[in-house]
Amino acid sequence: MNQFGTILKFELKYFFKNKTFVGITIFFVILIAAVMFFPRIISVFESDDPDEGNTPFSTPVMLVKTEDAAKEDDVKKIFESYFTDYDVRIATENIEEIQKMIIAGVAECAFVMQNDTSFTYYVNNLSIYDTNAEIASEAVSRVYQMNAMINEGISAQDAADIINFRVSGEVVSLGKSQIQNFFYTYIMIFALYMVILLYGQMVATNVATEKSSRAMELLVTSAKPTSMMFGKVLASCLAGLIQLLAIFGSAVLFYNLNRSYWGENMIIDSIFNIPASLLVYMLVFFILGFLIYAFMFGAVGSTATKLEDINTSVMPITMLFIVAFIVVMMSMTSGEVDNPAMIVCSFIPFTSPMAMFTRIAMSTVPWYEIAISIAILVGSTIGVGVISAKIYRMGVLMYGTPPTIGNLIKAALKS
Amino acid sequence: MELELLNIEKSFGDKKVLTGVSFKAEGGKACGLLGRNGAGKTTTIRILMNVFPSEGGQVLIDGKPIDYNKTKIGYLPEERGLYPKKIILDQLIYFAQLKGMSRIDAIKAIDYWLNRLGMTEHRTKRLDTLSKGNQQKIQLITALAHDPDIVILDEPFSGLDPVNAMLLKDVVKEQIAIGKIVLFSSHQMSYIEEFCDSIAIINKGVIVLHGDLRDIKRDYPRDRLVVRSQTPDAIRKDFGSVCSSTEDGGLMIHLSSPSEKQQIMTRITENYDIDEVKVFEPSLNDIFVEYAGDAPKEA
């Protein structure tokens, strides 16, 4: 126990003295600070501007050309009411000149009306977010509908009421709303993925470095392999948790400092309103998932003679993990997180940390399924830990060609 | 204190590595563990240090099975290895703590040894900034800082310059003088002869020779004479096939039995111009080659 404590402290110190580790953490904290302070910074610049809300030069110009000069005023009014972000101007130039003006940047876009029901939209670069054509077609069709109704003898007021009639509807989600929890589940799964792969590799490299520098020769005579393995893995698990805590903690802190500037941003709001129970699940699955993979990475690291061998040795583990990640991500984006693949994955210990967590976050999972999944995961983590410690014990003193994983497990079970 | 290995058996997979390895080492004396590459020395040391269990046999301290919580062992591995990228003091403290020392005691002991080996100025440097010989001195501190009862030194002199070798010799002699059991493994026979009172030669996992070095030498059949003369050719002619040349230019006369010794010596000294004549005593090198060579002598 004493030895384990010494090793844990020494390994943890290694992380905090590691420039890359500290650098990445600080980088993320600064990045998050920048994102969180962004609206505030923007608002500072905006309030410095004396022409607030009245900046004709920054408002893009939209040209509208009608086939009939008599309709110009009506059309202009309608377009102005639909395109409030634009400076709508009536164009009298011909089409070639309008096109030149757009290319030259004098105007951003132009609508050329052929008649009451058809128009052509000209724009220089068409952005995928450009919905001007749809908006215009709605505007034009409304005007057409209104005119048609007025022509049929309905009063202008009634016609406007009919057209502007809105149905009121309410959505009540009895389970979980995927709209709300999609983003934070996404962030958490991604964090889990990054941290496990990053730290797993670190554990493997760390073990292989000790072996290739032959510090192992002395270590094995000074400490029990189980203490060494568990000390290392738990140290990296703690370091990972601390790093995540620093990053997410700073995100929460900076968000609260700037809360008023964010206003009613649904995504941000949902991210910072994660239910406490989900955070607990996150912690449970993070720790268990981290440990089961870190043990495997540690065992594999111990079988490599040279540092260069590490990349090929850890390949099967990395692949396993990436497959799990892809299944989860695809199910998440398809919106159907309770598909058969996910249900199976949520009970397999190597995929359940991500799969079960996603299901809990985005769907309603019966408590016994969660309990079974966690029980399987805990049992497997202990099993993998014990086998890994045995492989480690053999691996660290073995030099030469790395043995196959199958052989190792066989030998470990035999001993 | 007496360390005894009794009938140690070990195999890796189907390969038998150690067969009935037994030898003793006493406190206040150094024991040389000799063997060719791959003979089983490191395996023996690892079993002694409980890195892995043996399949049979026992490690005894004063006749009782060793208690690794009570008996402290210091080890200088042949494959030197510490953390190259870490601060020297940090890792020395780490290893001492792993051996059960408190941090304060560890720092005290490490300071003493850094000073003793003239390394104090390097304590806050990274290990890989040091020369090979200096790294080896740091490694030696990991073997000695926790004041072990048994000191195992595997090729301690390789890579050291003569001044550092002298320093290490003093340290080893000091450890022997204060009653430690020193187990020495080396291929440099001169060092073994200088330090070790007893030896154990291991060949292909079997102890082929074990005992007090002086006794071994004395028990060697005294059936050869070494002769130095100004007229070697005449002697060679006289003795014919039983006379051969030695590497350093002397003559070696093989006797048909040790009892002939007196008679032949008299004959040589009376008939020839002789500088020196003595009974041949084998060097440790000769003994080693004889027992651990390709056609080893049966023990």
Side-chain angles (χ1 to χ4, degrees):
Chain A
M1 198 58 214
N2 204 355
Q3 258 185 358
F4 169 76
T6 308
I7 295 168
L8 187 74
K9 242 191 268 167
F10 185 76
E11 295 291 338
L12 211 53
K13 208 167 143 195
Y14 159 78
F15 278 105
F16 295 125
K17 283 198 168 174
N18 186 324
K19 288 190 188 86
T20 328
F21 175 83
V22 176
I24 288 178
T25 313
I26 292 175
F27 170 76
F28 271 106
V29 169
I30 291 174
L31 189 76
I32 281 172
V35 170
M36 289 300 155
F37 277 99
F38 190 69
R40 175 178 256 182
I41 293 163
I42 294 291
S43 76
V44 166
F45 282 116
E46 276 175 356
S47 60
D48 281 352
D49 195 335
D51 297 324
E52 195 183 353
N54 182 23
T55 47
F57 294 109
S58 63
T59 312
V61 173
M62 175 184 280
L63 298 175
V64 179
K65 184 177 166 62
T66 55
E67 84 288 5
D68 183 352
K71 289 181 183 165
E72 273 175 1
D73 282 351
D74 289 344
V75 170
K76 188 176 183 227
K77 235 178 251 168
I78 291 161
F79 271 80
E80 270 175 342
S81 71
Y82 273 87
F83 295 102
T84 48
D85 319 340
Y86 283 92
D87 175 18
V88 180
R89 292 178 191 171
I90 293 297
T92 48
E93 295 85 354
N94 65 29
I95 292 172
E96 281 78 38
E97 277 167 17
I98 287 172
Q99 285 177 355
K100 271 182 204 153
M101 284 167 82
I102 290 170
I103 290 167
V106 177
E108 196 191 272
C109 55
F111 285 96
V112 175
M113 310 289 298
Q114 276 89 33
N115 51 46
D116 283 353
T117 55
S118 71
F119 63 82
T120 309
Y121 177 56
Y122 294 96
V123 66
N124 193 3
N125 294 317
L126 185 64
S127 148
I128 58 163
Y129 301 110
D130 193 333
T131 52
N132 288 351
E134 284 87 44
I135 296 171
S137 100
E138 198 190 325
V140 172
S141 64
R142 283 235 185 146
V143 173
Y144 179 79
Q145 285 163 357
M146 258 180 82
N147 287 341
M149 278 190 262
I150 292 165
N151 289 345
E152 292 295 321
I154 299 168
S155 75
Q157 183 58 47
D158 287 350
D161 285 350
I162 293 169
I163 287 189
N164 292 329
F165 181 75
R166 285 278 177 272
V167 176
S168 78
E170 201 184 333
V171 180
V172 177
S173 168
L174 297 176
K176 280 166 183 156
S177 160
Q178 291 189 0
I179 300 165
Q180 212 188 48
N181 56 26
F182 181 84
F183 295 101
Y184 61 66
T185 311
Y186 191 90
I187 289 173
M188 282 166 143
I189 292 294
F190 210 75
L192 203 65
Y193 174 77
M194 291 298 290
V195 169
I196 286 179
L197 270 195
L198 202 73
Y199 282 83
Q201 290 270 11
M202 266 178 161
V203 169
T205 314
N206 192 327
V207 172
T209 312
E210 270 176 2
K211 208 179 148 190
S212 69
S213 73
R214 309 274 164 151
M216 202 56 96
E217 299 275 329
L218 200 58
L219 277 172
V220 287
T221 62
S222 311
K224 285 194 195 74
T226 36
S227 304
M228 277 156 67
M229 179 88 175
F230 283 78
K232 239 181 236 312
V233 166
L234 285 177
S236 60
C237 183
L238 272 177
L241 269 179
I242 290 169
Q243 191 174 38
L244 282 185
L245 220 66
I247 292 170
F248 284 109
S250 63
V252 171
L253 177 74
F254 294 140
Y255 173 68
N256 282 323
L257 285 178
N258 299 299
R259 189 168 222 146
S260 54
Y261 295 90
W262 277 96
E264 291 294 305
N265 189 320
M266 197 193 73
I267 298 175
I268 293 287
D269 218 43
S270 89
I271 289 172
F272 288 101
N273 286 307
I274 301 174
S277 67
L278 203 57
L279 285 176
V280 174
Y281 280 125
M282 170 79 184
L283 198 67
V284 168
F285 283 111
F286 173 83
I287 292 174
L288 291 173
F290 188 98
L291 289 181
I292 202 167
Y293 275 94
F295 282 136
M296 289 196 290
F297 275 113
V300 167
S302 75
T303 64
T305 305
K306 289 178 300 222
L307 265 178
E308 301 90 273
D309 297 343
I310 281 288
N311 287 332
T312 41
S313 305
V314 299
M315 190 76 120
I317 302 172
T318 316
M319 287 306 286
L320 180 69
F321 192 61
I322 290 175
V323 166
F325 179 70
I326 290 172
V327 168
V328 169
M329 276 295 164
M330 278 169 63
S331 307
M332 264 183 85
T333 42
S334 76
E336 182 50 59
V337 290
D338 284 330
N339 64 42
M342 280 290 275
I343 291 173
V344 171
C345 280
S346 60
F347 292 104
I348 300 171
F350 302 110
T351 53
S352 65
M354 284 194 290
M356 193 41 118
F357 176 73
T358 308
R359 287 185 60 207
I360 293 171
M362 295 189 61
S363 145
T364 308
V365 186
W367 67 268
Y368 59 89
E369 280 194 23
I370 300 176
I372 290 170
S373 171
I374 292 180
I376 292 174
L377 187 56
V378 169
S380 318
T381 305
I382 294 170
V384 168
V386 170
I387 291 174
S388 295
K390 280 183 177 169
I391 292 176
Y392 183 86
R393 197 188 163 100
M394 292 186 295
V396 289
L397 291 172
M398 213 155 27
Y399 295 98
T401 329
T404 63
I405 290 180
N407 284 347
L408 273 176
I409 294 173
K410 245 183 264 164
L413 290 175
K414 220 200 266 173
S415 68
Chain B
M1 197 184 239
E2 189 190 61
L3 166 74
E4 184 176 9
L5 270 71
L6 205 61
N7 290 319
I8 301 288
E9 305 274 337
K10 180 74 190 174
S11 35
F12 291 124
D14 301 330
K15 201 180 160 222
K16 188 97 183 169
V17 190
L18 297 179
T19 314
V21 167
S22 306
F23 66 88
K24 282 183 194 174
E26 275 176 67
K29 284 181 177 173
C31 174
L33 183 61
L34 310 179
R36 296 175 65 185
N37 306 320
K41 293 187 302 269
T42 309
T43 307
T44 307
I45 290 171
R46 283 179 179 162
I47 287 172
L48 166 58
M49 298 194 68
N50 201 25
V51 173
F52 37 63
S54 62
E55 278 136 27
Q58 281 178 300
V59 179
L60 304 171
I61 292 286
D62 294 331
K64 283 178 228 127
I66 187 166
D67 178 353
Y68 289 98
N69 293 322
K70 280 190 193 148
T71 308
K72 287 181 286 179
I73 303 177
Y75 177 45
L76 179 77
E78 183 182 5
E79 296 270 10
R80 311 281 189 256
L82 290 170
Y83 295 100
K85 306 277 177 211
K86 288 188 180 163
I87 304 295
I88 288 167
L89 189 62
D90 286 355
Q91 45 184 320
L92 286 177
I93 294 172
Y94 177 53
F95 280 109
Q97 282 184 311
L98 284 182
K99 298 280 191 186
M101 287 183 103
S102 73
R103 196 181 158 81
I104 295 165
D105 290 347
I107 292 173
K108 236 183 265 172
I110 288 161
D111 277 343
Y112 165 77
W113 281 108
L114 284 170
N115 186 35
R116 176 87 167 77
L117 298 175
M119 300 297 289
T120 306
E121 54 174 320
H122 301 298
R123 67 209 291 268
T124 52
K125 287 185 187 165
R126 260 172 41 175
L127 184 73
D128 59 1
T129 61
L130 263 54
S131 70
K132 191 180 173 230
N134 282 342
Q135 289 191 21
Q136 188 153 330
K137 288 203 270 183
I138 298 298
Q139 185 98 47
L140 183 69
I141 296 177
T142 63
L144 296 175
H146 60 294
D147 192 25
D149 306 299
I150 302 170
V151 182
I152 302 171
L153 304 171
D154 204 343
E155 290 290 357
F157 292 99
S158 75
L160 288 183
D161 66 47
V163 177
N164 278 329
M166 189 65 92
L167 185 62
L168 178 57
K169 270 187 209 174
D170 289 344
V171 170
V172 174
K173 279 178 186 156
E174 195 181 277
Q175 293 290 312
I176 297 170
I178 56 176
K180 304 276 175 79
I181 296 172
V182 177
L183 212 56
F184 221 92
S185 172
S186 180
H187 293 130
Q188 286 167 288
M189 297 300 160
S190 57
Y191 286 119
I192 302 271
E193 278 195 291
E194 189 174 341
F195 290 113
C196 297
D197 304 291
S198 63
I199 58 161
I201 297 181
I202 185 166
N203 191 29
K204 292 174 185 150
V206 182
I207 296 281
V208 286
L209 185 66
H210 168 230
D212 189 284
L213 187 54
R214 268 167 308 171
D215 293 345
I216 288 171
K217 284 190 176 177
R218 201 184 312 119
D219 292 348
Y220 235 75
R222 305 175 79 75
D223 60 355
R224 276 174 280 183
L225 296 179
V226 178
V227 181
R228 274 174 214 290
S229 163
Q230 297 301 320
T231 54
D233 291 338
I235 302 172
R236 207 176 280 133
K237 212 169 170 188
D238 187 357
F239 285 89
S241 62
V242 296
C243 178
S244 57
S245 302
T246 61
E247 278 172 10
D248 55 358
L251 293 170
M252 171 92 79
I253 296 168
H254 297 257
L255 309 176
S256 49
S257 89
S259 58
E260 270 189 319
K261 185 179 73 184
Q262 210 64 37
Q263 183 206 337
I264 299 285
M265 270 183 162
T266 317
R267 180 174 144 197
I268 293 168
T269 43
E270 280 176 358
N271 295 327
Y272 302 99
D273 177 10
I274 295 299
D275 294 336
E276 183 190 15
V277 58
K278 63 173 183 183
V279 174
F280 169 73
E281 271 206 351
S283 70
L284 184 55
N285 206 51
D286 298 321
I287 298 170
F288 182 78
V289 170
E290 190 169 327
Y291 280 91
D294 287 325
K297 186 170 165 172
E298 288 302 315

